[in-house]
Each structure stands twice: as structure tokens, then as C-alpha cells.
Amino acid sequence: MSLSEALSSIFVMPFMIRAMLVLLALAIAAGVIGVFINLRGLEFMADGLTHAVFPGIAAGFALSGQEGLVVGALAAAAFATVTLTLLSHRRVTSDTAVAIVLTAMFSLGVIIVSRSRHVTGSLEQLLFGHLFTVSVTEVLLTAGICVGALLLVMTSLRGQLFSAFDSAGAQAAGYRELTNLLLLNIAIAGVVVSASIAVGNLLVLAILIVPGAVARMWARGLAGVFTGALLFAVVFAFAGLIGAFVVSVSTDVAIPGGAAIAVIFVAGYVLSLAFRLVIQQRRRAAGS
Amino acid sequence: MDTVGRKRASRERHHGVVANVSARIRSWLAWLQCHNKAICVATAVVAVVGTALSLSGCSVVQPTGGLRVVSTTTQVSDFTRTVVGDAGTVYGLIRANQTAHEFDPSARALWELSQANVVVMNGQGLEQWMSAALEAAGFHGTLIVASEGIETVDGDPHVWTSTINAQRMVGTIATGLSRVDAAHADVFSANAANYQARLQALTTWATDDFAQIPEAERLLVTNHDGLSYFCREFSITFIGSIIPSFDDNSEPSAADIDRLIDAIRRSGAVAVFSETTISAKLAETLAREAHVAVYSGADALYADTLGPTGSAGATYIEATIHNVRVLVTAWGGTNTSLPEGVLA
Amino acid sequence: MIQRLLDTAGVSFAYDRDTALADITMHVDPGQAVALIGPNGSGKSTFLKGVLGVLPVISGSLKVLGHDRDFNVGGHIGYLPQDDHIDADFPVTLRQVVMMGRYRRLGWFRFPRAVDRQAVADALTVTGLSSRANVRFGTLSGGQQQRGLLARALATKPDLLLLDEPFNGLDQPNREALIATVRELKSQGVGILLTTHDLDLAREVCDSVLLVNKRQIAFGPLDQVLTLANLQAAFGDVQVEVDEHKVVIPGHEH
């Protein structure tokens, strides 16, 4: 079959349209929220939430299949978010708290998976998502959760920004640090849950962390960082999706969409980093 | 000229390309920065949606030259290819050595489904992912369930392992295809009749070969219960399997293994048979514990899936012949030669 | 009777259940500056954080702008934190940082209006930073950052201003500018509570002194509080260090 034949059908096949809608919602939410993860240095917390959501996904799937997945994930996310936020807020070293909770919850997930015959076969799907076979319900769920997460962050935008810049000053201005952190972590958890469906639990981190980090490399101002992260997330997510589709269709090699997207995100990050280093090198050379 | 300007000039002189690109990106970012974030988000969304809409206007190329058929398992694909012959193209979703349990549709698979007129599946709950995949691909053609009319036992979907069931499945496929493409109905029924005759010859040969072994000694231990219809057809007693469910992905507990070893000793089974798609490790351990022989590697049985081209089990008929020969030899019989026409 | 901006009676604050500062009875009136003096670790910053509501009150009473502490008065208090925890790469301009001082008045959604922009511009003018408004905050010098954060506190148009070591690391011109600013604010009726090591400075701009070391040593007019006995009680062994800062202690011959 010809490539053009395949390409021309990208935008009419339901599964591609669904994948694009899911990615658009995810990229916008992850782009914005990722900037806050970067500004507040919450990468490890995001990692913790990702792992902690896994047993919820596994248990939900074991109990009631694909539909239960989201419910289970949300329940685990809610529990993990509150636990992690409180622990990190109570001056137990934040990283220690996250490490303990994530190990505990991830092992719980593994136990559930190994005890449930129904889930074992779908482990791969749980970890790597199923971007090409998301259902309409899942598209709506993802979009809904992403919009909710974005709203949480947007409504507390000023407090989040203030807290990220200078948490003592923000508290002095009457912002409650715990409230801000909780709202942000709930938003992160929301993105983790919805991304777990499409991109997979293991690959959520790339989509959450890379856009903000890349935008921070290049943009000096706030508007630039947010726009850069958003653009990066949307463009690279679509590039990954279409790349995975084109490669899969033209070579008949099965490429999981989520993996393709994670790879292209990381590649974008590495390129950006290399480019940045080259420029710094030249500038130093030119300056001396 | 100010310092910055001088530096920039020298940079561009020395490192034209890099500096140029970087300056461009910088000015682009600067442009972005001086605009409101909301406007930028809106622009990005409009750009993406606009591209999508403008591209979606392109027409999809319709398949030309006969039926476009998509089939699922390796066995169903083999049946379908034989029946379709030159009257169309057949795309098999599941590959050699891959089973329906572990299948997750790729973009290519969905694209093929979206282009197909006919989809042939095994049915009986084997392809759990099928309805979601058809819906995701926007499939509007005809769905043929090859196992239609075959009565399952305990909901076991591995109906094709019985060569008699296989003949019925071939018939069902031919009838279904004829309804979609009446112009080629003759071709389909001729291909099917020819194939069914070969399957019948296979059945007769296998029955004769197994007849060398007393029924009480036809004792089968496998690593997953995928051959029950085969066993029933040739009066083989199924002692047990290492994996306790039809799904080939779950794992047995230590208690399950102990029970099975006990069952082997009590039954007097002489061998444990591994399957091609499953690691032979457990089967080997089990055989050692129960002091019986193990058949794995090249002697493993084909159950859930056929092998790749060139292997002993590349087609349904070859795979079945392989299975019969391995079992008969293991149980102390001798292989007889195949009658004419079983292999094409 | 004028309303007191800050009024405490035997208040104690705690960090993680350990009492950090006990039994403080003091007040700040409009147009008054109070110096909060004590050795390092004596609880000066703790007191400011307690007033801000960051630390819980474990006993006693605390009224801020006439309200009990559970009332959120964020929009009416200006706070200058010690400038030692700011990420130099944080992508905000000085103007955006100063605008943070207006956030509580803006609420969640409202865009800044002319009055907000004017408050920011005024604060930048007062702190002499107007020309640096669009520079990334992290690229400013230490003294400029300090003034930038002061501008943020001023942009709030606060009734009560809390300054944590505002004179630390300032050179002579910056120091004089800050003294002038504090005087100007006092004349506008703003109440100021500032922590410092510098007794000279306290004399120069403050009306009263709160002397602490884990608990209240003394509170009152300058000359009544800054006695040798009180300073010894507050500083104990480190009194020598105080002398090295050329502090003149009443009645203490050198």
C-alpha cells in the first residue's frame, strides 16, 4: 500500500481522530501543569504519583475491565495525592515520603496483577496504554479529567505562581501552601490518570515533564515558558502519533503510540539540550 | 556598536548556521512572549484543528481488485486465504507464533480493518478486542464468525483444533464470502470443497495413526489447555495442563503444580508436551519432577498459533500433521506415510 | 481610639509542637515602627511568620488589623522575606514579581487594572527600580532583589508592613534610601514591624522595640527597653559581638 493512501486516511479514521482528541487534551493539560512541576521542582512527586496510580489501574481493571480502570486509577490517585501532599508538607523529607509511598503502592499493584489471571495478559496495555484503541467514553473521560485538572491550576494560577516563586512570600500574602500544593498535585494526578489510558502508566512522565523542561531552556519570560511548553507538547504529541501511524502502516511493524510519543518527547528534549549546549559553547568562544 | 551587537555579529560570522537558527528561534520566542498566553493557546488550537479539517477533505482511496479481507488468528487466516485464493487479498492480524490472547491492534491493523470489506474471526470470545477494534477503525463491512454453528464445550474457544470443526469453519467462511461477493461464489465454494477434502483426508490419516495406541494410553499433559477439541476427536484423555486457564498468560501456583504432578503419576502418562508459544521451562521442570519425558523446542505442539513460513507448522494442515506425529511417536507408535493430496 | 494594627497578649508560636517563641505582648499602631531585636535563632522570623498566620498560635491572643488570626488579611499586610531562597532562573520579570503584591486584591481571575498597574509603578519608583522593571528578577543584583521584594510588599498598599532583616547586605546609599522609605510610609500611617541586629538603625527609624530571645525580654519605647540589663538578658554571651557592631549600649562603658 502506498504511504499517501495511508496518510490521506489519517483524519477520517475514528481511531486516529480519537487519538488526536485525547492527545490534544493531554498535551494542553500536561503542557501547562508541566510548567508548574518544573517551577516548583515537583518532578519526583509526579513520578511518585505515576507509580502510586498503578495499583488503582490494576485493581480497577481486575474488578471490572477497561471501564474499571479509570475508576480504580482515580481512587488510587486521590489516596496517593492526599497522602503524598500531607507527608511532604509535614517536613518528612519530601523525597523519602514519596519513595516510601510509591514503593508500597507499586508493589501492591504488582501483587494485584500477579494474583489476578484476568489482568496478567493486559499488563502490557496497562503499562503502555492503548492510544490507537481508545473508546469514545475514554476520549470524553480523558478530556473531562484534563479540563478539570487545568481548571484547578488555572483558578489557583496566581497562588501557584507566587508559591513557586517564593513560598514564604505567598504564605504571607495569605495563600495557603497546603491548599496550593494539594490543588497542583490533584491536577498532576488527573493528568497521570487520563494519560495512563492512552499513553500508558510508564510513559506519562515524559509527557508531563519534558515540555516544561524544554520550554524553560529557551524562554525567559512566563508567557514564553507556558506557550513554549504548550506548543512543544501539542506538536510533539501529534508528531509521535502520526509517526507511529505512518511507520506502522507502511512497514507493518506494530508501534505502540504511547511509546512513540514518549520517544519523540525525549528526543526533543535531548536535541534541545544539545542545541542549547552548542549555543552556550559558541557564545563562550565568541565572548573570550 | 554595543557589546551585545558586536558579539552577535562575530558569532554569526563564525558560526553562521547555528547562530542564524538560534537567533530565529530566539526572535520567534520573543514574539511569542510579547503576546498574551491565551491568544497563543487559541492560535495553536486553531492551527491544529484547521490542519486536521483541511486534510480531512482528502478522499480515501478505495481498494481496487476484489475483496479486501482481514482475518484474525493464524488458523482462520490460513482457512480464509485458501478459500479466497486469487479472488481478493487477505491480511492476517495475528502473526505466526502470536496468539489472540496477547494481541493488541496496531495502527496498521486498524487501518487494514478500516479498508476491509470483510472481517473473518474465530469467535467464541477468543478475540476480546474485536468489537473495540472494529468500532475504532470505523469498519462497515461484513463480519464472518468462522466458528458459527459449532457447539463449544465449557466455553473453550479453541474449536479449530478438531479437524472436523476446521472443515465446518472453512464452509462457514466460504458461505459468508459468497454472500458479500456473489460474483466469485463459485471460486470460493470450489476452493472450500477442495480444502475440505484435504482436511477429511487428514482426519482419516490421523485417526488411523492414533489407532495404533490403545485409548487408555493416549494421555495428554500440556502446558496450557488449548487442545480439548483435538483430544475429543481422537479419544485422547486430557490429564492436565500447567497453566490452569484457557488464557495462555496466567501463571500456576506451587499447589497447582503439585496437584498436576500427582495426577501425572496416578494416570501413568509418559510425557509432558510443551506448546510453541509458551516457555518450555515449566514443562521441563514438571517432567523432571514427575519422571516423564518432555517434548519441547522442535517437538513442541502447535495449539494457539501456527508457525512462520518454513517451519513444521506453517499451515493448519502441516501443524496438525506435526502434532499427530509427535504424539504418536511419544506414545510408542510409528508414523505412517501421508496419503496423496493432504499436502497441497 | 485608633485601631491597633497588631495587638498581641501573651502569644506563643510553635514549630512542629516545639514552642519557638513564647509569651509575647506587644502592639503596633498606625504610623509606628517597631524594631524586633534579638540574637540569631531567638525567634524573630518566627514571630513574623506567626503574625502572618504561617505558624499556629498555641496560646495567648493575636489580633491583626483588629481580626483574630483565622481571618485572612493577606491583602493588607506587606511582607519582605529574607532574600535567600529565590531561584535565580525563575522566569519572571521584576514587574511581575512586584505585581504579586497585588494578587490578593486581584483574586483568582481578574486582570490587573489601572489601579494595580499604578501601585506597581509607584512601588518601583519608591524603590528606585523603575528602569529595571522588565528585567528578569534573577538577573538583578542582591541589593536590587531586596528592593524589588520591598517594592512587592509596598505594592500591596499595606496597612501593616513586616520586614525581615531589610537592611542586611545593603550598601550605604541603599540603606539611606530604605530609611527614607520607612519614614515616608510612617508618615502615611503605615505600621511597620522590622527585625534587625542593628541597634543604631532601630534608634534612627523606630518608635519602640520588642526584645526577644525565645520569649519576650522587653517591649516599649526605645530608651526604656535598650538597657544593659535587657540586652544582656537577650544576647547573653554574644554581647561582645554586639559591641563589635559599634552598638552603643546605655550605661555600658567601653
Side-chain angles (χ1 to χ4, degrees), chain A residues 39-40 90-91 154-159 161-162 164-176 180 183 216 219-223 225, chain C residues 15-16 52-54 69 72 74-75 79 81 85-87 89-92 96-97 100 103-104 106-112 136-137 149 152:
Chain A
L39 291 179
R40 299 201 66 165
R90 293 221 182 264
R91 289 163 194 274
M154 297 307 272
T155 50
S156 62
L157 188 68
R158 291 189 168 124
L161 197 61
F162 207 152
F165 177 69
D166 158 19
S167 90
Q171 292 180 70
Y175 290 106
R176 291 287 161 263
N180 271 340
L183 285 177
R216 273 298 292 278
R220 296 284 173 84
L222 262 188
V225 170
Chain C
Y15 268 116
D16 286 341
L52 289 165
V54 176
R69 198 37 263 193
N72 195 332
Y79 171 60
H85 56 279
I86 299 225
D87 173 10
D89 275 334
F90 204 91
V92 279
Q96 285 167 329
V97 170
M100 287 176 187
Y103 277 3
R104 288 308 288 190
L106 287 173
W108 298 125
F109 291 113
R110 199 160 61 72
F111 279 99
R136 185 147 55 94
F137 188 82
L149 294 177
R152 182 179 72 181

Side-chain angles (χ1 to χ4, degrees), chain A residues 55-88:
Chain A
I57 294 178
F61 192 84
L63 289 177
S64 57
Q66 206 70 57
E67 287 74 33
L69 191 151
V70 180
V71 180
L74 282 175
F79 171 76
T81 308
V82 173
T83 313
L84 289 178
T85 310
L86 286 178
L87 278 177
S88 67

Side-chain angles (χ1 to χ4, degrees), chain B residues 260-330:
Chain B
L260 184 56
I261 290 174
D262 198 40
I264 293 171
R265 287 195 181 134
R266 273 189 285 113
S267 68
V270 293
V272 174
F273 299 90
S274 182
E275 274 169 47
T276 51
T277 47
I278 304 170
S279 161
K281 239 191 200 138
L282 267 175
E284 281 158 5
T285 313
L286 184 80
R288 211 179 311 122
E289 300 265 319
H291 304 291
V292 291
V294 61
Y295 289 81
S296 59
D299 290 330
L301 301 181
Y302 292 95
D304 273 11
T305 181
L306 302 175
T309 317
S311 71
T315 65
Y316 175 78
I317 290 181
E318 287 173 301
T320 308
I321 293 169
H322 168 88
N323 288 353
V324 172
R325 282 181 171 159
V326 168
L327 290 171
V328 166
T329 316

Side-chain angles (χ1 to χ4, degrees), chain A residues 9 15 18 248-249 252 282, chain B residues 15 91 95 108 111 135-136:
Chain A
S9 56
F15 75 95
R18 284 175 208 172
S248 175
V249 167
D252 206 358
R282 307 270 158 163
Chain B
H15 323 288
Y91 179 86
R95 299 308 154 78
R108 169 68 179 260
W111 187 81
E135 194 242 348

